[in-house]
Amino acid sequence: MDRIALFGTSADPPTAGHHTILRWLASHYDHVAVWAADNPLKPQQTPLDHRMMMLDLVVQDIQWQYPHVICYPDLSQPRTLHTLERARQRWPHPIAFDLVIGSDLVGQLPRWHRIGDLLAQVRLLIVPRPGYDIEREDLAALQELGGDYRVADLDPPAVSSSHYRERGDRTLITPPVAAYIAQQQLYAS
């Protein structure tokens, strides 16, 4: 059975960390579906079309080596369960899905919309994030909900979108994303 990595991210903006994660996913999965997430818990985000375009620039940067990493804007839904429904329509059975989440989200999972239904249909791949330890009690709660997970053997750089937004440090983002931000005059203070 093929296994597809589902990687939705706020990408506000996508950073060198996203680039590293995508390359890791590409070397471990048959297919990597990427989209900029329309997160209802983050109302002050840069418009979705800009975030999707920047994320696509990161994907394009690695597609010459990993053509199976592709942006799917239609997977961006406010609820992850709805994203999974769209993915199932696009890739009917027998496909297995791994939902990629950062370690910063593990403790929030019990509060996600219909989390039991979601966990019954996917395996989680938890990507470590510097500064966000994976707590045993969070993993225990995940298992109580019926969640199957694994932790990626990846050590991404200690960069984040919020650090870029706060400091404007261009070393945190890829050159194509920096050029797009300048052209569109995004994140100006």
Side-chain angles (χ1 to χ4, degrees), residues 1-4 30 93-97:
M1 177 182 314
D2 285 340
R3 187 165 286 278
I4 295 177
D30 303 313
H93 299 283
I95 295 288
F97 295 104

Side-chain angles (χ1 to χ4, degrees), residues 9 25 27 82 96 123 149:
T9 175
L25 291 170
S27 66
H82 300 151
R123 179 175 71 178
Y149 69 88

Side-chain angles (χ1 to χ4, degrees), residues 53-163:
M53 181 58 118
M54 290 185 286
L55 188 57
D56 192 50
L57 290 170
V58 174
V59 168
Q60 288 175 33
D61 191 49
I62 66 170
Q63 276 186 324
W64 67 272
Q65 187 176 9
Y66 302 109
H68 60 287
V69 177
I70 300 172
C71 271
Y72 293 96
D74 64 306
L75 292 180
S76 182
Q77 300 293 311
R79 304 282 186 209
T80 305
L81 188 61
H82 300 151
T83 294
L84 182 59
E85 290 168 2
R86 289 229 172 152
R88 289 222 179 276
Q89 290 169 0
R90 180 179 290 277
W91 298 285
H93 299 283
I95 295 288
F97 295 104
D98 277 10
L99 179 64
V100 181
I101 64 166
S103 59
D104 56 315
L105 297 179
V106 176
Q108 298 174 17
L109 285 171
R111 297 187 304 270
W112 281 24
H113 175 74
R114 293 176 49 196
I115 188 62
D117 293 340
L118 178 67
L119 293 176
Q121 300 178 63
V122 298
R123 179 175 71 178
L124 295 177
L125 175 69
I126 302 169
V127 175
R129 285 194 65 188
Y132 296 94
D133 293 335
I134 301 171
E135 303 295 335
R136 286 181 199 224
E137 53 272 9
D138 291 336
L139 294 177
L142 181 59
Q143 287 179 315
E144 285 179 29
L145 291 167
D148 182 18
Y149 69 88
R150 69 184 187 106
V151 177
D153 60 343
L154 170 67
D155 188 19
V159 299
S160 72
S161 299
S162 59
H163 288 148

